[in-house]
Short mmCIF file of all heavy atoms in Angstrom, two decimals:
data_model
loop_
_atom_site.label_atom_id
_atom_site.label_comp_id
_atom_site.label_asym_id
_atom_site.label_seq_id
_atom_site.Cartn_x
_atom_site.Cartn_y
_atom_site.Cartn_z
N THR F 1073 -129.31 34.92 -52.60
CA THR F 1073 -129.22 33.78 -53.40
C THR F 1073 -130.13 33.89 -54.69
O THR F 1073 -130.07 33.04 -55.49
CB THR F 1073 -129.76 32.47 -52.58
OG1 THR F 1073 -131.12 32.64 -52.32
CG2 THR F 1073 -128.96 32.22 -51.37
N GLY F 1074 -130.94 34.88 -54.67
CA GLY F 1074 -131.85 35.07 -55.80
C GLY F 1074 -133.02 34.15 -55.82
O GLY F 1074 -133.78 33.98 -56.71
N GLU F 1075 -133.15 33.33 -54.76
CA GLU F 1075 -134.20 32.36 -54.61
C GLU F 1075 -135.35 32.81 -53.72
O GLU F 1075 -136.19 31.96 -53.44
CB GLU F 1075 -133.63 31.06 -54.09
CG GLU F 1075 -132.56 30.47 -54.97
CD GLU F 1075 -132.98 29.98 -56.33
OE1 GLU F 1075 -134.15 29.48 -56.43
OE2 GLU F 1075 -132.21 30.15 -57.30
N SER F 1076 -135.39 34.01 -53.18
CA SER F 1076 -136.36 34.45 -52.25
C SER F 1076 -137.63 34.70 -52.93
O SER F 1076 -137.71 35.00 -54.17
CB SER F 1076 -135.93 35.65 -51.47
OG SER F 1076 -135.79 36.71 -52.35
N ASN F 1077 -138.76 34.65 -52.24
CA ASN F 1077 -140.06 34.89 -52.79
C ASN F 1077 -140.79 35.84 -51.76
O ASN F 1077 -141.48 35.42 -50.88
CB ASN F 1077 -140.85 33.65 -52.94
CG ASN F 1077 -142.19 33.90 -53.52
OD1 ASN F 1077 -142.64 35.00 -53.77
ND2 ASN F 1077 -142.98 32.81 -53.77
N PRO F 1078 -140.57 37.21 -51.95
CA PRO F 1078 -141.16 38.13 -50.98
C PRO F 1078 -142.64 38.14 -50.87
O PRO F 1078 -143.13 38.61 -49.86
CB PRO F 1078 -140.66 39.48 -51.51
CG PRO F 1078 -139.66 39.24 -52.53
CD PRO F 1078 -139.83 37.86 -53.02
N GLY F 1079 -143.32 37.57 -51.84
CA GLY F 1079 -144.80 37.53 -51.84
C GLY F 1079 -145.37 36.29 -51.33
O GLY F 1079 -146.60 36.09 -51.26
N ALA F 1080 -144.58 35.33 -50.89
CA ALA F 1080 -145.00 34.06 -50.36
C ALA F 1080 -145.89 34.29 -49.14
O ALA F 1080 -145.71 35.21 -48.36
CB ALA F 1080 -143.85 33.12 -50.02
N GLN F 1081 -146.91 33.42 -49.01
CA GLN F 1081 -147.76 33.46 -47.84
C GLN F 1081 -147.62 32.27 -46.96
O GLN F 1081 -147.41 31.11 -47.50
CB GLN F 1081 -149.28 33.52 -48.29
CG GLN F 1081 -149.52 34.78 -49.09
CD GLN F 1081 -150.93 34.77 -49.65
OE1 GLN F 1081 -151.19 34.49 -50.77
NE2 GLN F 1081 -151.94 35.12 -48.80
N ASN F 1082 -147.76 32.44 -45.63
CA ASN F 1082 -147.69 31.29 -44.75
C ASN F 1082 -149.09 30.65 -44.63
O ASN F 1082 -149.99 31.04 -45.33
CB ASN F 1082 -147.11 31.68 -43.37
CG ASN F 1082 -148.01 32.67 -42.62
OD1 ASN F 1082 -149.23 32.88 -42.97
ND2 ASN F 1082 -147.57 33.28 -41.56
N ASN F 1083 -149.29 29.65 -43.77
CA ASN F 1083 -150.53 29.00 -43.63
C ASN F 1083 -151.70 29.90 -43.21
O ASN F 1083 -152.84 29.59 -43.54
CB ASN F 1083 -150.46 27.81 -42.59
CG ASN F 1083 -149.56 26.70 -43.06
OD1 ASN F 1083 -149.29 26.62 -44.33
ND2 ASN F 1083 -149.04 25.95 -42.19
N ALA F 1084 -151.43 30.99 -42.62
CA ALA F 1084 -152.38 31.98 -42.22
C ALA F 1084 -152.64 32.99 -43.34
O ALA F 1084 -153.51 33.88 -43.16
CB ALA F 1084 -152.10 32.62 -40.87
N GLY F 1085 -151.91 32.94 -44.34
CA GLY F 1085 -152.09 33.91 -45.47
C GLY F 1085 -151.27 35.16 -45.37
O GLY F 1085 -151.34 36.06 -46.19
N SER F 1086 -150.42 35.21 -44.29
CA SER F 1086 -149.57 36.45 -44.09
C SER F 1086 -148.33 36.34 -44.96
O SER F 1086 -147.73 35.29 -45.12
CB SER F 1086 -149.19 36.57 -42.62
OG SER F 1086 -150.35 36.84 -41.85
N THR F 1087 -147.92 37.54 -45.42
CA THR F 1087 -146.67 37.68 -46.21
C THR F 1087 -145.53 38.22 -45.32
O THR F 1087 -145.89 38.72 -44.23
CB THR F 1087 -146.91 38.63 -47.40
OG1 THR F 1087 -147.25 39.91 -46.87
CG2 THR F 1087 -147.95 38.13 -48.35
N ALA F 1088 -144.35 38.26 -45.88
CA ALA F 1088 -143.26 38.90 -45.15
C ALA F 1088 -143.60 40.37 -44.85
O ALA F 1088 -143.17 40.87 -43.84
CB ALA F 1088 -141.99 38.76 -45.91
N LEU F 1089 -144.22 41.00 -45.80
CA LEU F 1089 -144.53 42.43 -45.64
C LEU F 1089 -145.52 42.63 -44.51
O LEU F 1089 -145.39 43.50 -43.65
CB LEU F 1089 -145.16 42.98 -46.94
CG LEU F 1089 -145.57 44.49 -46.93
CD1 LEU F 1089 -144.43 45.34 -46.56
CD2 LEU F 1089 -146.14 44.86 -48.25
N ILE F 1090 -146.53 41.79 -44.40
CA ILE F 1090 -147.45 41.87 -43.25
C ILE F 1090 -146.66 41.66 -41.96
O ILE F 1090 -146.89 42.43 -41.01
CB ILE F 1090 -148.62 40.80 -43.41
CG1 ILE F 1090 -149.55 41.23 -44.52
CG2 ILE F 1090 -149.36 40.67 -42.03
CD1 ILE F 1090 -150.62 40.24 -44.84
N TRP F 1091 -145.82 40.65 -41.88
CA TRP F 1091 -145.06 40.39 -40.66
C TRP F 1091 -144.09 41.53 -40.32
O TRP F 1091 -143.89 41.87 -39.19
CB TRP F 1091 -144.31 39.08 -40.75
CG TRP F 1091 -145.21 37.98 -40.39
CD1 TRP F 1091 -145.72 36.99 -41.25
CD2 TRP F 1091 -145.84 37.66 -39.10
NE1 TRP F 1091 -146.57 36.19 -40.50
CE2 TRP F 1091 -146.64 36.59 -39.23
CE3 TRP F 1091 -145.75 38.38 -37.87
CZ2 TRP F 1091 -147.42 36.06 -38.21
CZ3 TRP F 1091 -146.51 37.84 -36.83
CH2 TRP F 1091 -147.33 36.75 -37.02
N ALA F 1092 -143.53 42.17 -41.39
CA ALA F 1092 -142.69 43.33 -41.12
C ALA F 1092 -143.47 44.42 -40.48
O ALA F 1092 -143.00 45.13 -39.59
CB ALA F 1092 -141.98 43.79 -42.43
N CYS F 1093 -144.70 44.61 -40.94
CA CYS F 1093 -145.58 45.69 -40.33
C CYS F 1093 -146.09 45.29 -38.92
O CYS F 1093 -146.05 46.16 -38.08
CB CYS F 1093 -146.72 45.96 -41.35
SG CYS F 1093 -146.25 46.65 -42.81
N VAL F 1094 -146.36 43.99 -38.77
CA VAL F 1094 -146.77 43.59 -37.38
C VAL F 1094 -145.68 43.86 -36.41
O VAL F 1094 -145.98 44.27 -35.26
CB VAL F 1094 -147.11 42.07 -37.48
CG1 VAL F 1094 -147.23 41.54 -36.01
CG2 VAL F 1094 -148.40 41.84 -38.21
N ASN F 1095 -144.48 43.63 -36.85
CA ASN F 1095 -143.37 43.80 -35.89
C ASN F 1095 -142.64 45.17 -35.97
O ASN F 1095 -141.58 45.35 -35.49
CB ASN F 1095 -142.32 42.69 -36.19
CG ASN F 1095 -142.80 41.30 -35.79
OD1 ASN F 1095 -143.03 41.12 -34.61
ND2 ASN F 1095 -143.09 40.47 -36.72
N ASN F 1096 -143.34 46.12 -36.64
CA ASN F 1096 -142.90 47.55 -36.68
C ASN F 1096 -141.42 47.66 -37.24
O ASN F 1096 -140.58 48.36 -36.71
CB ASN F 1096 -143.04 48.14 -35.27
CG ASN F 1096 -143.01 49.66 -35.33
OD1 ASN F 1096 -143.25 50.26 -36.38
ND2 ASN F 1096 -142.76 50.29 -34.22
N MET F 1097 -141.21 46.98 -38.37
CA MET F 1097 -139.94 46.95 -39.00
C MET F 1097 -140.00 47.75 -40.30
O MET F 1097 -140.12 47.20 -41.35
CB MET F 1097 -139.45 45.52 -39.24
CG MET F 1097 -139.44 44.67 -37.94
SD MET F 1097 -139.17 42.86 -38.25
CE MET F 1097 -137.48 42.84 -38.86
N SER F 1098 -139.95 49.11 -40.19
CA SER F 1098 -140.10 49.97 -41.35
C SER F 1098 -139.09 49.76 -42.43
O SER F 1098 -139.49 49.70 -43.64
CB SER F 1098 -140.07 51.44 -40.88
OG SER F 1098 -141.17 51.77 -40.14
N LYS F 1099 -137.83 49.64 -42.10
CA LYS F 1099 -136.82 49.38 -43.10
C LYS F 1099 -137.06 48.16 -43.89
O LYS F 1099 -136.83 48.08 -45.12
CB LYS F 1099 -135.44 49.45 -42.52
CG LYS F 1099 -135.05 50.87 -42.02
CD LYS F 1099 -133.62 50.85 -41.45
CE LYS F 1099 -133.28 52.22 -40.90
NZ LYS F 1099 -131.91 52.28 -40.38
N VAL F 1100 -137.38 47.08 -43.19
CA VAL F 1100 -137.66 45.82 -43.81
C VAL F 1100 -138.86 45.95 -44.74
O VAL F 1100 -138.90 45.53 -45.92
CB VAL F 1100 -137.83 44.68 -42.88
CG1 VAL F 1100 -138.33 43.40 -43.49
CG2 VAL F 1100 -136.62 44.45 -42.08
N ALA F 1101 -139.95 46.55 -44.20
CA ALA F 1101 -141.17 46.75 -45.06
C ALA F 1101 -140.92 47.52 -46.29
O ALA F 1101 -141.35 47.15 -47.45
CB ALA F 1101 -142.28 47.40 -44.21
N VAL F 1102 -140.14 48.62 -46.17
CA VAL F 1102 -139.82 49.44 -47.38
C VAL F 1102 -139.00 48.64 -48.37
O VAL F 1102 -139.22 48.72 -49.60
CB VAL F 1102 -139.09 50.73 -46.97
CG1 VAL F 1102 -138.47 51.46 -48.18
CG2 VAL F 1102 -140.08 51.65 -46.20
N ALA F 1103 -138.03 47.86 -47.91
CA ALA F 1103 -137.26 47.02 -48.78
C ALA F 1103 -138.13 46.01 -49.51
O ALA F 1103 -137.89 45.78 -50.68
CB ALA F 1103 -136.13 46.36 -48.01
N LEU F 1104 -139.09 45.37 -48.78
CA LEU F 1104 -139.94 44.43 -49.41
C LEU F 1104 -140.85 45.12 -50.47
O LEU F 1104 -141.03 44.47 -51.54
CB LEU F 1104 -140.76 43.76 -48.36
CG LEU F 1104 -140.09 42.76 -47.44
CD1 LEU F 1104 -140.87 42.39 -46.22
CD2 LEU F 1104 -139.75 41.47 -48.25
N ILE F 1105 -141.39 46.27 -50.12
CA ILE F 1105 -142.13 46.97 -51.17
C ILE F 1105 -141.34 47.33 -52.35
O ILE F 1105 -141.88 47.17 -53.49
CB ILE F 1105 -142.70 48.35 -50.52
CG1 ILE F 1105 -143.72 47.95 -49.44
CG2 ILE F 1105 -143.32 49.20 -51.53
CD1 ILE F 1105 -144.12 49.14 -48.51
N ALA F 1106 -140.11 47.66 -52.16
CA ALA F 1106 -139.22 48.09 -53.27
C ALA F 1106 -138.95 46.87 -54.26
O ALA F 1106 -138.61 47.10 -55.41
CB ALA F 1106 -137.93 48.62 -52.80
N THR F 1107 -139.12 45.60 -53.79
CA THR F 1107 -138.93 44.53 -54.65
C THR F 1107 -139.97 44.41 -55.74
O THR F 1107 -139.76 43.82 -56.79
CB THR F 1107 -138.96 43.15 -53.92
OG1 THR F 1107 -140.28 42.87 -53.42
CG2 THR F 1107 -137.92 43.12 -52.75
N GLY F 1108 -141.14 45.02 -55.52
CA GLY F 1108 -142.21 44.92 -56.46
C GLY F 1108 -142.93 43.58 -56.44
O GLY F 1108 -143.79 43.30 -57.29
N GLU F 1109 -142.53 42.69 -55.56
CA GLU F 1109 -143.08 41.31 -55.45
C GLU F 1109 -143.64 40.94 -54.07
O GLU F 1109 -143.78 39.80 -53.80
CB GLU F 1109 -141.91 40.33 -55.83
CG GLU F 1109 -141.41 40.51 -57.22
CD GLU F 1109 -140.31 39.60 -57.58
OE1 GLU F 1109 -140.07 38.67 -56.75
OE2 GLU F 1109 -139.62 39.81 -58.58
N SER F 1110 -143.91 41.96 -53.30
CA SER F 1110 -144.42 41.73 -51.92
C SER F 1110 -145.87 41.49 -51.69
O SER F 1110 -146.26 41.26 -50.58
CB SER F 1110 -143.86 42.87 -50.99
OG SER F 1110 -144.50 44.08 -51.41
N ASN F 1111 -146.58 41.57 -52.82
CA ASN F 1111 -148.09 41.38 -52.73
C ASN F 1111 -148.71 42.23 -51.62
O ASN F 1111 -149.37 41.73 -50.72
CB ASN F 1111 -148.38 39.88 -52.58
CG ASN F 1111 -148.10 39.06 -53.76
OD1 ASN F 1111 -148.05 39.58 -54.83
ND2 ASN F 1111 -147.82 37.78 -53.50
N PRO F 1112 -148.65 43.55 -51.71
CA PRO F 1112 -149.13 44.43 -50.62
C PRO F 1112 -150.58 44.40 -50.38
O PRO F 1112 -151.13 44.70 -49.33
CB PRO F 1112 -148.60 45.79 -51.05
CG PRO F 1112 -148.47 45.70 -52.56
CD PRO F 1112 -148.00 44.35 -52.79
N GLY F 1113 -151.40 43.89 -51.46
CA GLY F 1113 -152.87 43.89 -51.22
C GLY F 1113 -153.37 42.65 -50.66
O GLY F 1113 -154.59 42.47 -50.49
N VAL F 1114 -152.53 41.68 -50.35
CA VAL F 1114 -152.94 40.43 -49.80
C VAL F 1114 -153.60 40.60 -48.50
O VAL F 1114 -153.13 41.28 -47.62
CB VAL F 1114 -151.74 39.44 -49.68
CG1 VAL F 1114 -152.11 38.17 -48.93
CG2 VAL F 1114 -151.30 39.03 -51.04
N GLN F 1115 -154.71 39.87 -48.29
CA GLN F 1115 -155.39 39.78 -46.94
C GLN F 1115 -155.10 38.37 -46.42
O GLN F 1115 -155.28 37.38 -47.09
CB GLN F 1115 -156.89 39.97 -47.08
CG GLN F 1115 -157.32 41.35 -47.53
CD GLN F 1115 -158.78 41.45 -47.50
OE1 GLN F 1115 -159.53 40.55 -47.28
NE2 GLN F 1115 -159.27 42.60 -47.90
N ASN F 1116 -154.74 38.36 -45.08
CA ASN F 1116 -154.56 37.05 -44.50
C ASN F 1116 -155.91 36.51 -44.01
O ASN F 1116 -156.94 37.11 -44.32
CB ASN F 1116 -153.54 37.17 -43.34
CG ASN F 1116 -154.01 37.98 -42.18
OD1 ASN F 1116 -155.13 38.34 -42.04
ND2 ASN F 1116 -153.06 38.37 -41.35
N LYS F 1117 -155.86 35.43 -43.35
CA LYS F 1117 -157.17 34.81 -42.96
C LYS F 1117 -158.04 35.59 -42.00
O LYS F 1117 -159.17 35.36 -41.76
CB LYS F 1117 -156.98 33.34 -42.47
CG LYS F 1117 -156.32 33.26 -41.01
CD LYS F 1117 -156.25 31.83 -40.60
CE LYS F 1117 -155.81 31.73 -39.16
NZ LYS F 1117 -155.78 30.32 -38.70
N HIS F 1118 -157.36 36.64 -41.36
CA HIS F 1118 -158.07 37.54 -40.48
C HIS F 1118 -158.54 38.82 -41.20
O HIS F 1118 -158.91 39.76 -40.54
CB HIS F 1118 -157.16 37.90 -39.27
CG HIS F 1118 -156.59 36.71 -38.57
ND1 HIS F 1118 -157.46 35.90 -37.75
CD2 HIS F 1118 -155.45 36.13 -38.47
CE1 HIS F 1118 -156.72 34.88 -37.29
NE2 HIS F 1118 -155.48 35.02 -37.68
N ALA F 1119 -158.33 38.81 -42.53
CA ALA F 1119 -158.66 39.97 -43.34
C ALA F 1119 -157.73 41.19 -43.11
O ALA F 1119 -158.10 42.28 -43.47
CB ALA F 1119 -160.16 40.38 -43.25
N ASP F 1120 -156.63 40.95 -42.53
CA ASP F 1120 -155.59 41.97 -42.29
C ASP F 1120 -154.66 42.12 -43.54
O ASP F 1120 -154.34 41.13 -44.13
CB ASP F 1120 -154.70 41.63 -41.07
CG ASP F 1120 -155.45 41.65 -39.77
OD1 ASP F 1120 -156.37 42.45 -39.61
OD2 ASP F 1120 -155.09 40.86 -38.88
N THR F 1121 -154.32 43.36 -43.79
CA THR F 1121 -153.37 43.58 -44.85
C THR F 1121 -152.10 44.30 -44.28
O THR F 1121 -152.14 44.75 -43.12
CB THR F 1121 -153.93 44.55 -45.94
OG1 THR F 1121 -154.28 45.78 -45.32
CG2 THR F 1121 -155.28 43.99 -46.58
N ALA F 1122 -151.08 44.50 -45.06
CA ALA F 1122 -149.97 45.24 -44.61
C ALA F 1122 -150.36 46.67 -44.23
O ALA F 1122 -149.81 47.19 -43.19
CB ALA F 1122 -148.89 45.26 -45.68
N LEU F 1123 -151.25 47.26 -44.94
CA LEU F 1123 -151.67 48.63 -44.67
C LEU F 1123 -152.39 48.68 -43.28
O LEU F 1123 -152.13 49.62 -42.49
CB LEU F 1123 -152.63 49.20 -45.74
CG LEU F 1123 -153.17 50.57 -45.52
CD1 LEU F 1123 -151.95 51.62 -45.41
CD2 LEU F 1123 -154.06 50.98 -46.66
N VAL F 1124 -153.19 47.70 -42.96
CA VAL F 1124 -153.85 47.67 -41.67
C VAL F 1124 -152.81 47.65 -40.59
O VAL F 1124 -152.85 48.40 -39.61
CB VAL F 1124 -154.80 46.42 -41.59
CG1 VAL F 1124 -155.21 46.17 -40.11
CG2 VAL F 1124 -155.98 46.56 -42.47
N TRP F 1125 -151.72 46.76 -40.74
CA TRP F 1125 -150.80 46.70 -39.70
C TRP F 1125 -149.84 47.92 -39.72
O TRP F 1125 -149.42 48.31 -38.60
CB TRP F 1125 -150.00 45.41 -39.83
CG TRP F 1125 -150.75 44.29 -39.14
CD1 TRP F 1125 -151.49 43.28 -39.73
CD2 TRP F 1125 -150.89 44.13 -37.70
NE1 TRP F 1125 -152.08 42.58 -38.76
CE2 TRP F 1125 -151.76 43.08 -37.46
CE3 TRP F 1125 -150.41 44.82 -36.60
CZ2 TRP F 1125 -152.08 42.59 -36.23
CZ3 TRP F 1125 -150.74 44.41 -35.35
CH2 TRP F 1125 -151.54 43.28 -35.19
N ALA F 1126 -149.54 48.46 -40.87
CA ALA F 1126 -148.73 49.65 -40.93
C ALA F 1126 -149.33 50.80 -40.11
O ALA F 1126 -148.65 51.55 -39.35
CB ALA F 1126 -148.44 50.07 -42.29
N THR F 1127 -150.64 50.89 -40.27
CA THR F 1127 -151.34 51.98 -39.48
C THR F 1127 -151.44 51.65 -38.03
O THR F 1127 -151.31 52.54 -37.17
CB THR F 1127 -152.77 52.26 -40.09
OG1 THR F 1127 -153.54 51.11 -40.15
CG2 THR F 1127 -152.68 52.83 -41.49
N ASN F 1128 -151.72 50.35 -37.70
CA ASN F 1128 -151.85 49.93 -36.32
C ASN F 1128 -150.52 50.18 -35.55
O ASN F 1128 -150.52 50.38 -34.31
CB ASN F 1128 -152.19 48.42 -36.21
CG ASN F 1128 -153.72 48.20 -36.52
OD1 ASN F 1128 -154.47 49.14 -36.53
ND2 ASN F 1128 -154.04 46.96 -36.73
N THR F 1129 -149.41 50.10 -36.23
CA THR F 1129 -148.11 50.20 -35.58
C THR F 1129 -147.46 51.52 -35.81
O THR F 1129 -146.23 51.72 -35.57
CB THR F 1129 -147.15 49.06 -36.02
OG1 THR F 1129 -147.07 49.04 -37.44
CG2 THR F 1129 -147.61 47.79 -35.51
N ASN F 1130 -148.28 52.46 -36.34
CA ASN F 1130 -147.83 53.82 -36.59
C ASN F 1130 -146.63 53.96 -37.54
O ASN F 1130 -145.73 54.78 -37.30
CB ASN F 1130 -147.51 54.62 -35.23
CG ASN F 1130 -148.75 54.71 -34.40
OD1 ASN F 1130 -149.82 55.05 -34.83
ND2 ASN F 1130 -148.71 54.34 -33.06
N MET F 1131 -146.61 53.16 -38.52
CA MET F 1131 -145.56 53.18 -39.54
C MET F 1131 -146.01 54.08 -40.75
O MET F 1131 -146.35 53.57 -41.74
CB MET F 1131 -145.22 51.72 -40.03
CG MET F 1131 -144.64 50.85 -38.92
SD MET F 1131 -144.56 49.13 -39.39
CE MET F 1131 -143.50 49.16 -40.79
N LEU F 1132 -146.02 55.39 -40.50
CA LEU F 1132 -146.60 56.31 -41.44
C LEU F 1132 -145.89 56.23 -42.75
O LEU F 1132 -146.55 56.25 -43.81
CB LEU F 1132 -146.45 57.73 -40.85
CG LEU F 1132 -147.08 58.87 -41.75
CD1 LEU F 1132 -148.54 58.68 -42.09
CD2 LEU F 1132 -146.78 60.20 -41.15
N ASP F 1133 -144.52 56.09 -42.84
CA ASP F 1133 -143.92 56.02 -44.12
C ASP F 1133 -144.29 54.80 -44.93
O ASP F 1133 -144.54 54.87 -46.13
CB ASP F 1133 -142.35 56.06 -43.91
CG ASP F 1133 -141.84 54.91 -42.97
OD1 ASP F 1133 -142.61 54.47 -42.17
OD2 ASP F 1133 -140.66 54.60 -43.03
N VAL F 1134 -144.41 53.74 -44.23
CA VAL F 1134 -144.88 52.51 -44.91
C VAL F 1134 -146.30 52.62 -45.40
O VAL F 1134 -146.67 52.26 -46.48
CB VAL F 1134 -144.65 51.27 -44.05
CG1 VAL F 1134 -145.21 50.04 -44.68
CG2 VAL F 1134 -143.19 51.15 -43.73
N ALA F 1135 -147.21 53.06 -44.48
CA ALA F 1135 -148.58 53.22 -44.87
C ALA F 1135 -148.78 54.18 -46.03
O ALA F 1135 -149.54 53.86 -46.99
CB ALA F 1135 -149.40 53.85 -43.70
N LEU F 1136 -148.03 55.29 -46.08
CA LEU F 1136 -148.13 56.16 -47.21
C LEU F 1136 -147.53 55.53 -48.54
O LEU F 1136 -148.15 55.77 -49.66
CB LEU F 1136 -147.42 57.46 -46.99
CG LEU F 1136 -148.06 58.36 -45.88
CD1 LEU F 1136 -147.15 59.61 -45.59
CD2 LEU F 1136 -149.40 58.83 -46.38
N ALA F 1137 -146.50 54.69 -48.42
CA ALA F 1137 -146.00 53.99 -49.58
C ALA F 1137 -147.00 53.01 -50.11
O ALA F 1137 -147.18 52.95 -51.31
CB ALA F 1137 -144.67 53.32 -49.20
N LEU F 1138 -147.69 52.32 -49.17
CA LEU F 1138 -148.70 51.40 -49.66
C LEU F 1138 -149.89 52.11 -50.30
O LEU F 1138 -150.37 51.62 -51.35
CB LEU F 1138 -149.16 50.55 -48.45
CG LEU F 1138 -148.12 49.56 -47.94
CD1 LEU F 1138 -148.50 49.03 -46.57
CD2 LEU F 1138 -147.85 48.41 -48.90
N ILE F 1139 -150.33 53.24 -49.74
CA ILE F 1139 -151.36 53.92 -50.30
C ILE F 1139 -151.07 54.46 -51.72
O ILE F 1139 -151.79 54.38 -52.69
CB ILE F 1139 -151.85 55.07 -49.39
CG1 ILE F 1139 -152.55 54.51 -48.14
CG2 ILE F 1139 -152.76 56.13 -50.13
CD1 ILE F 1139 -152.68 55.48 -46.96
N ASP F 1140 -149.75 54.99 -51.82
CA ASP F 1140 -149.34 55.43 -53.14
C ASP F 1140 -149.31 54.40 -54.19
O ASP F 1140 -149.57 54.72 -55.36
CB ASP F 1140 -147.97 56.11 -52.98
CG ASP F 1140 -147.92 57.42 -52.24
OD1 ASP F 1140 -149.04 58.04 -52.17
OD2 ASP F 1140 -146.80 57.86 -51.85
N MET F 1141 -149.13 53.20 -53.81
CA MET F 1141 -149.08 52.07 -54.79
C MET F 1141 -150.48 51.83 -55.27
O MET F 1141 -150.66 51.25 -56.38
CB MET F 1141 -148.61 50.77 -54.09
CG MET F 1141 -147.11 50.88 -53.72
SD MET F 1141 -146.55 49.30 -53.02
CE MET F 1141 -146.48 48.26 -54.46
N GLY F 1142 -151.53 52.17 -54.54
CA GLY F 1142 -152.87 52.05 -54.93
C GLY F 1142 -153.40 50.58 -54.96
O GLY F 1142 -154.49 50.26 -55.56
N VAL F 1143 -152.74 49.62 -54.27
CA VAL F 1143 -153.13 48.30 -54.30
C VAL F 1143 -153.55 47.72 -52.93
O VAL F 1143 -153.99 46.56 -52.74
CB VAL F 1143 -152.15 47.34 -54.91
CG1 VAL F 1143 -151.92 47.61 -56.38
CG2 VAL F 1143 -150.81 47.44 -54.17
N SER F 1144 -153.39 48.53 -51.91
CA SER F 1144 -153.67 48.08 -50.51
C SER F 1144 -155.06 48.57 -50.09
O SER F 1144 -155.56 49.59 -50.51
CB SER F 1144 -152.59 48.59 -49.57
OG SER F 1144 -151.51 47.85 -49.70
N LYS F 1145 -155.69 47.77 -49.17
CA LYS F 1145 -156.96 48.15 -48.59
C LYS F 1145 -156.75 48.37 -47.14
O LYS F 1145 -155.92 47.89 -46.51
CB LYS F 1145 -157.95 47.01 -48.87
CG LYS F 1145 -158.21 46.80 -50.29
CD LYS F 1145 -159.12 45.64 -50.45
CE LYS F 1145 -159.38 45.36 -51.98
NZ LYS F 1145 -160.31 44.25 -52.23
#
């Protein structure tokens, strides 16, 4: 619809990218990163980032993509 907001945060501060990583959804995470609007450096209220979850769920391709972007902690 052209109305999506990939960088939107829920009440806990998590983005769609964080949730894709939490749920080990590599293809979704890569697609969100490719939008350029996924806010990969965002920390939720638990101080978790997409990179934290990508490494916790062994999503090496996503973790490397986030590191290459230089905006994730």
Side-chain angles (χ1 to χ4, degrees):
T1073 64
E1075 301 291 326
S1076 66
N1077 181 357
Q1081 293 176 263
N1082 65 13
N1083 292 341
S1086 293
T1087 61
L1089 180 58
I1090 290 174
W1091 278 110
C1093 293
V1094 166
N1095 291 293
N1096 201 16
M1097 301 170 73
S1098 290
K1099 290 181 182 181
V1100 173
V1102 169
L1104 287 165
I1105 292 167
T1107 69
E1109 299 177 11
S1110 62
N1111 292 332
V1114 167
Q1115 291 184 359
N1116 65 16
K1117 73 176 187 177
H1118 304 290
D1120 294 327
T1121 63
L1123 180 59
V1124 167
W1125 277 104
T1127 56
N1128 284 346
T1129 55
N1130 297 314
M1131 296 170 60
L1132 181 59
D1133 56 336
V1134 175
L1136 291 175
L1138 291 167
I1139 291 167
D1140 285 344
M1141 292 180 77
V1143 295
S1144 285
K1145 297 178 181 180

